[in-house]
Amino acid sequence: MSDFDIRQDIVSYVALGDSFTEGLDDPYPDGGDAPHGRYRGWADRLAEHLADHAGEVRYANLAVRGKLARQIVEDQVPRAVELHPDLVTLCAGGNDILRPGSDPDLLAGVLEWAVRRISATGAEIVLFTGMDPGFQPVMRHLRGKGATFNMHLRALADEYGCRVVDLWGMRTLRNRGAWSWDRLHLSSEGHRRLALRVCEVLDIPVEDDWNTPWPSEDPKPWRAARQDDLLWARECLVPWIGRRLTGRSSGDGVPPKRPNLEKLR
């Protein structure tokens, strides 16, 4: 690992990825100071935690919704290398795993190229395993592919000295309160908890516990749950399939929300 130290006078941090890192669906209450958008997300929250300890935090978020791993590597990694930050978080591959026919072995090779390039800058790198989709009926069939990718990722982390956030093992994210209505993106509370978990991996002191038990709640009646399923299929699943069939992406024309290292506070 690098000699990353949150107590230094200036800490520079670059976040790379897709919608998960861009911050969907964690909106700022009033639009806030989110350039080119209104989403906060765990990466913004992590930068805020860094600012509680460092003299100054300079933060860039190059993540764009809908991007595949190869697009993240080709479009975002060179910019990250150019910025030469102290800390880089890289979460990629989720959109690839969702696609039929994707190969987790080839996907790992794409990610290795990115890690090798970033590692050469001396930055501290944080990688993320994929989540366990077993708790979501529509995605259970992806568990094997996701688990294979995760093993590759852990091997990469060992080889290059990266820190790892084990999303697969975060059982707290299996609660429906951790997810937005589209079942693909974290809720505001899910993002908050994930930011705390990343702080733990980076040894950043925080007061809250990411694994605090959720309030108990009664399951929805069967009929109401099926109505939710139908609404989700119409509003989320069908448009997603439509984009796949037409070669479009939710990130087409969407710029990174923080393309440059800028002072956070």
Side-chain angles (χ1 to χ4, degrees):
M1 296 183 182
S2 75
D3 56 356
F4 174 70
D5 184 357
I6 61 171
R7 295 165 297 182
Q8 60 198 54
D9 292 336
I10 299 175
V11 172
S12 54
Y13 164 40
V14 174
L16 309 177
D18 51 32
S19 60
F20 181 75
T21 302
E22 185 184 345
L24 279 66
D25 277 320
D26 180 19
Y28 281 92
D30 57 358
D33 297 320
H36 307 295
R38 62 187 186 91
Y39 293 107
R40 188 182 186 186
W42 66 264
D44 285 23
R45 292 170 181 268
L46 172 61
E48 292 162 11
H49 285 298
L50 285 168
D52 290 336
H53 301 279
E56 177 179 314
V57 171
R58 296 173 182 172
Y59 168 48
N61 190 320
L62 308 182
V64 175
R65 67 197 71 176
K67 296 302 181 182
L68 301 172
R70 188 171 296 279
Q71 293 172 314
I72 292 169
V73 169
E74 292 176 352
D75 298 341
Q76 299 176 27
V77 170
R79 177 58 175 158
V81 171
E82 180 183 347
L83 292 172
H84 205 87
D86 303 305
L87 171 67
V88 174
T89 56
L90 172 60
C91 185
N95 289 319
D96 299 77
I97 295 295
L98 286 172
R99 297 197 174 199
S102 60
D103 186 333
D105 300 321
L106 295 178
L107 181 58
V110 172
L111 200 62
E112 180 177 10
W113 186 89
V115 172
R116 187 187 309 120
R117 285 204 64 188
I118 299 170
S119 180
T121 70
E124 181 79 58
I125 304 173
V126 179
L127 302 177
F128 296 73
T129 71
M131 294 187 186
D132 182 357
F135 72 101
Q136 294 185 338
V138 177
M139 299 182 185
R140 283 177 186 159
H141 67 287
L142 299 174
R143 292 191 83 200
K145 191 159 57 171
T148 300
F149 175 69
N150 286 351
M151 294 304 294
H152 280 301
L153 185 139
R154 287 193 171 278
L156 267 178
D158 288 343
E159 181 176 356
Y160 290 95
C162 307
R163 305 200 192 206
V164 176
V165 177
D166 181 14
L167 297 177
W168 189 285
M170 287 185 68
R171 294 181 180 273
T172 189
L173 296 184
R174 299 178 191 179
N175 187 286
R176 68 183 182 187
W179 297 88
S180 70
W181 70 278
D182 71 1
R183 307 182 187 181
L184 289 174
H185 300 106
L186 293 175
S187 65
S188 292
E189 178 61 13
H191 278 286
R192 188 189 73 84
R193 288 176 181 246
L194 179 54
L196 294 173
R197 177 71 178 105
V198 181
C199 285
E200 183 177 78
V201 169
L202 285 168
D203 300 317
I204 299 171
V206 290
E207 295 181 359
D208 296 329
D209 182 1
W210 62 269
N211 205 23
T212 299
W214 291 86
S216 59
E217 58 181 5
D218 296 327
K220 279 193 173 184
W222 185 89
R223 184 178 296 275
R226 300 296 74 76
Q227 289 175 339
D228 285 351
D229 291 342
L230 289 173
L231 176 63
W232 172 79
R234 184 175 69 246
E235 299 294 331
C236 300
L237 181 60
V238 172
W240 184 86
I241 294 173
R243 289 195 297 271
R244 300 292 76 74
L245 293 175
T246 57
R248 294 177 293 117
S249 168
S250 59
D252 290 345
V254 177
K257 64 180 185 180
R258 296 183 68 99
N260 302 305
L261 281 174
E262 298 175 346
K263 185 177 178 180
L264 188 64
R265 295 178 180 172

